[in-house]
């Protein structure tokens, strides 16, 4: 994976534990500690293991946001024709690494704390462009992609929103709302919303079109 350019870090701030936030979400949804969705979570909270947030206008390939269960169960991936997985964590294993039918890309969203200063747009596009380009290449060739973290809410939610901004040419508020309609637990908490807002500004300042045709 290409690394973002080294930039001046932001001023010291408390960094959230996204795994702990995921566990709080699981508890609120009455899920097991692993966070696997079930009939009750679907009925009461519209919580699934994964949800489609974008579809390629010509190849039909789909981009999903999902949880650890979706990323680790071959049956779920095959049912949804997913062959490419973006792992948005620093420490979760790529459960099916070595399987020739699955391609992985690790996009450690947490690195933005060390590499970006959210008082400006400096470096924000460079931070996201490698993962955008990797997903573009997959969907352009008809391969569907899962963007995941533990719950598919915060890290993967933010990355999925960022990709929808890029692919559908949306501002960050519209993209957040669109992704939440598809997957209600998407929640760019704290500085994650600021990160998306700076990506929005950076895209306006230097328009980067998606590398696939518009619908």
């Amino acid at each position: 994976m290409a690394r973002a350019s080294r930039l001046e870090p932001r001023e010291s701030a408390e960094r959230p534990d996204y795994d702990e936030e995921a566990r709080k979400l699981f508890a609120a949804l009455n899920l097991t500690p692993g966070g696997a969705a079930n009939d009750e979570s679907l009925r009461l909270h519209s919580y699934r293991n994964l949800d489609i947030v974008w579809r390629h206008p010509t190849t039909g390939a789909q981009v999903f946001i999902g949880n650890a269960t979706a990323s680790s169960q071959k049956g779920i991936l095959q049912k949804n024709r997913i062959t490419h997985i973006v792992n948005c964590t620093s420490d979760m294993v790529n459960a099916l690494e070595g399987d020739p039918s699955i391609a992985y890309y690790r996009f450690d969203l947490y690195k933005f704390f060390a590499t970006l200063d959210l008082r400006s747009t400096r470096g924000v596009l460079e931070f996201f462009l490698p993962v955008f380009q990797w997903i573009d290449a997959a969907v352009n060739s008809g391969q569907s992609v899962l963007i995941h973290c533990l719950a598919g809410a915060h890290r993967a939610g933010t990355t999925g929103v960022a990709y929808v901004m890029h692919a559908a040419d949306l501002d960050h508020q519209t993209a957040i709302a669109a992704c939440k309609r598809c997957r209600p637990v998407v929640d760019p908490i704290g500085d994650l919303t600021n990160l998306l807002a700076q990506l929005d500004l950076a895209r306006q300042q230097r328009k980067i079109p998606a590398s696939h045709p518009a619908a």
Side-chain angles (χ1 to χ4, degrees), residues 86 88 107 109 128 131-132 147 154-163:
V86 177
C88 298
F107 178 64
L109 187 70
F128 280 104
V131 71
F132 289 170
I147 301 170
H154 308 118
R155 290 162 291 188
T158 299
T159 305
V161 168
Y163 185 75

Side-chain angles (χ1 to χ4, degrees), residues 43-62:
R43 179 173 58 85
L44 296 179
H45 308 289
S46 299
Y47 181 76
R48 305 172 182 83
N49 290 318
L50 74 173
D51 293 283
I52 302 166
V53 294
W54 186 79
R55 189 189 309 270
H56 193 285
T58 56
T59 69
Q62 299 171 132

Side-chain angles (χ1 to χ4, degrees), residues 64 76-84 142-145:
F64 298 78
I76 292 176
L77 299 174
Q78 290 177 329
K79 179 180 178 180
N80 293 282
R81 300 182 179 180
I82 294 167
T83 58
H84 288 60
Q143 307 298 310
S144 291
V145 179

Side-chain angles (χ1 to χ4, degrees), residues 9 22 30 89 103 124 141 143 213:
N30 295 316
T89 77
V124 176
S141 63
Q143 307 298 310

